[in-house]
């Protein structure tokens, strides 16, 4: 039985990854280390509470002493690192939290793994989950490939780029067996409603304006979150030591086109007259330094590990909207902080 540490597993992508791994590998024990910040929600994995091969641990990756004792106790053979501050707008308002968690927290984890594994790297792996935003901003043409030079432009992407560099430095300097992936924008159930799609769905439900930044011409490449989780699992098991893999949805949309599409799906599923939600779109002041376009070339992952996204945006959007409509209690609780208070108390008492 392998003990695998997943960080940030109470967040959006981490919860999908953990659900996949716990169900797919009953012979592995998955430890979910998460600080339960505003974005983390143990409720996301309520269905695994009884699973024999799953353990939740509340803890902070910025606490090195705690990490060392955790590695000592559980003898992890693998780490899949997702814990991060993840929202660009928050990074503009409060960059220091991003440096502390994303940079210092990542280096803490690297050191904890290195110290625990003590140069015996046989069967060990440190997987760092990163973003395509480290590559900067594209114009109308071209795609990010694994060799694209780094050009981060927001405090969030600068902190992720920095952490990527540290992970690779620990590989080159100390021989730590690592793998890195850089992924495009994810969407699907359990995403905190500060990101574009769940924020818009939540506002549509409440009849609030839909704030589109600038003129809505910025382009993102959208990936169904379960496709990302499947890619991470595949790369963790079969990716080559020291390598980087780009993960993308091959699904480029301008923000305005995507919001239009979302509005139409919401009207239909809410039984409202066609065109109602579109009327509430409001163009607001642009995000400072707003990257124009991200687009991933995921050919390497397709050719070397045979991965391709399975869910296209038409279907994924519908599934996402339906999930948020069916889980309005989740939305209310996560926006009000009710889950956070509940779990903070529960884990404090343990
Ligand atoms: P998220 O914000 O939903 O979840 C992050 C999780 O990390 C939360 O559960 C939070 O409680 C936890 N966390 C934060 N600080 C912590 C700390 N100091 N110690 C322990 N846990 C802490 O983020 P997400 O969207 O699921 O993203 C997960 C990872 O994937 C991040 O590293 C992000 O950079 C990367 N990524 C995200 C996307 C995307 O579209 N969401 C795309 C590419 C890469
Ligand atoms: P976001 O979900 O924050 O992801 P990222 O900035 O990491 O790509 O935003 C996606 C796009 O949507 C981005 O171009 C900014 C834009 N956006 C809006 O127009 N309005 C909003 O309210 C939000 C949150 C984002």
């Amino acid at each position: 039985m392998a003990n695998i540490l997943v960080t940030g597993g109470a967040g959006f992508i981490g919860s999908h990854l953990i659900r996949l791994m716990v169900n797919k590998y009953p012979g592995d024990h998955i430890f979910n280390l998460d600080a339960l910040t505003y974005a983390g929600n143990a409720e996301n994995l309520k269905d695994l509470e009884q699973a024999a091969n799953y353990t939740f641990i509340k803890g902070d990756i910025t606490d090195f002493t705690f990490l060392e004792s955790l590695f000592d106790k559980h003898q992890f053979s693998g780490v899949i690192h997702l814990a991060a501050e993840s929202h660009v707008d928050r990074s503009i308002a409060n960059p220091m939290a991003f440096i502390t968690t994303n940079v210092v927290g990542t280096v803490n984890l690297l050191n904890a793994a290195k110290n625990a594994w003590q140069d015996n790297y046989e069967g060990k792996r440190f997987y760092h989950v990163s973003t395509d935003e480290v590559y900067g901003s594209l114009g109308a043409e071209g795609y990010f490939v694994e060799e694209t030079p780094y050009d981060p432009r927001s405090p969030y992407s600068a902190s992720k780029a920095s952490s990527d560099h540290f992970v690779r430095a620990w590989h080159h300097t100390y021989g730590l067996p690592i793998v890195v992936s850089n992924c495009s924008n994810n969407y699907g159930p359990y995403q905190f409603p500060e990101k574009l799609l769940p924020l818009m769905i939540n506002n549509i439900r409440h009849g609030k304006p839909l704030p589109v930044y600038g003129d809505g011409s910025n382009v993102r490449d959208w990936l169904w979150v379960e496709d990302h989780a499947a890619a991470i699992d595949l790369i963790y098991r079969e990716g080559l030591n020291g390598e980087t893999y780009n993960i993308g949805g091959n699904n480029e949309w301008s923000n305005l086109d995507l919001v239009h599409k979302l509005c139409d799906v919401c009207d239909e599923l809410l039984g409202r007259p066609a065109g109602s939600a579109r009327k509430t779109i409001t163009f607001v002041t642009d995000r400072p330094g707003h990257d124009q376009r991200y687009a991933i070339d995921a050919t390497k992952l397709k050719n070397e590990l045979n991965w391709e996204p399975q869910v296209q945006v038409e279907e994924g959007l519908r599934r996402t909207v339906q999930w948020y409509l069916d889980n309005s209690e989740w939305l209310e609780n996560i926006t009000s902080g009710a889950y956070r208070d509940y779990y903070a108390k529960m884990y404090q008492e343990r």
Side-chain angles (χ1 to χ4, degrees), residues 97-325:
F98 287 70
I99 294 155
T100 310
T101 285
N102 300 1
V103 183
V104 178
T106 299
V107 176
N108 275 343
L109 264 180
L110 288 165
N111 274 335
K114 172 177 163 286
N115 292 355
W117 295 340
Q118 293 188 347
D119 296 334
N120 178 9
Y121 292 140
E122 188 65 35
K124 309 291 198 304
R125 168 148 283 184
F126 188 109
Y127 184 149
H128 179 60
V129 175
S130 192
T131 168
D132 60 352
E133 302 189 24
V134 298
Y135 296 124
S137 179
L138 292 164
E141 303 288 319
Y143 295 90
F144 297 134
V145 292
E146 286 78 1
E147 294 74 27
T148 302
Y150 273 31
D151 182 22
R153 296 147 57 98
S154 73
Y156 165 66
S157 55
S159 70
K160 291 297 289 187
S162 171
S163 62
D164 293 8
H165 288 319
F166 277 112
V167 172
R168 295 192 183 105
W170 259 239
H171 174 66
H172 290 292
T173 308
Y174 306 112
L176 197 77
I178 62 109
V179 68
V180 177
S181 60
N182 296 87
C183 186
S184 63
N185 287 60
N186 285 215
Y187 72 103
Y190 297 110
Q191 187 168 32
F192 192 84
E194 63 185 352
K195 305 275 167 61
L196 178 70
L197 289 174
L199 181 137
M200 295 291 177
I201 297 170
N202 200 24
N203 285 11
I204 291 170
R205 276 177 66 238
H206 289 105
K208 287 195 195 157
L210 309 180
V212 170
Y213 298 164
D215 61 3
S217 66
N218 305 68
V219 172
R220 298 291 182 265
D221 168 13
W222 293 92
L223 179 66
W224 176 245
V225 63
E226 290 178 344
D227 280 333
H228 188 192
I232 294 173
D233 174 43
L234 182 67
I235 294 168
Y236 178 72
R237 311 262 156 193
E238 295 180 24
L240 296 181
N241 185 21
E243 289 291 313
T244 294
Y245 299 88
N246 279 355
I247 310 172
N250 211 8
N251 241 320
E252 284 186 58
W253 289 83
S254 75
N255 291 339
L256 189 57
D257 285 347
L258 189 68
V259 171
H260 278 156
K261 200 158 191 54
L262 181 78
C263 285
D264 297 346
V265 174
C266 284
D267 284 343
E268 188 195 324
L269 296 182
L270 283 162
R272 294 179 182 169
S276 326
R278 283 188 186 217
K279 286 190 197 136
T280 61
I281 290 174
T282 314
F283 293 94
V284 298
T285 309
D286 210 353
R287 171 187 281 172
H290 196 172
D291 287 341
Q292 181 56 36
R293 175 173 166 256
Y294 304 141
I296 280 276
D297 177 345
T299 308
K300 176 175 174 182
L301 191 53
K302 179 169 191 272
N303 288 349
E304 295 187 11
L305 299 184
N306 203 20
W307 175 89
E308 275 187 290
Q310 299 299 309
V311 176
Q312 296 308 307
V313 134
E314 317 283 332
E315 182 194 341
L317 262 191
R318 201 163 263 281
R319 282 163 73 171
T320 304
V321 172
Q322 193 62 60
W323 186 87
Y324 280 92
L325 297 183

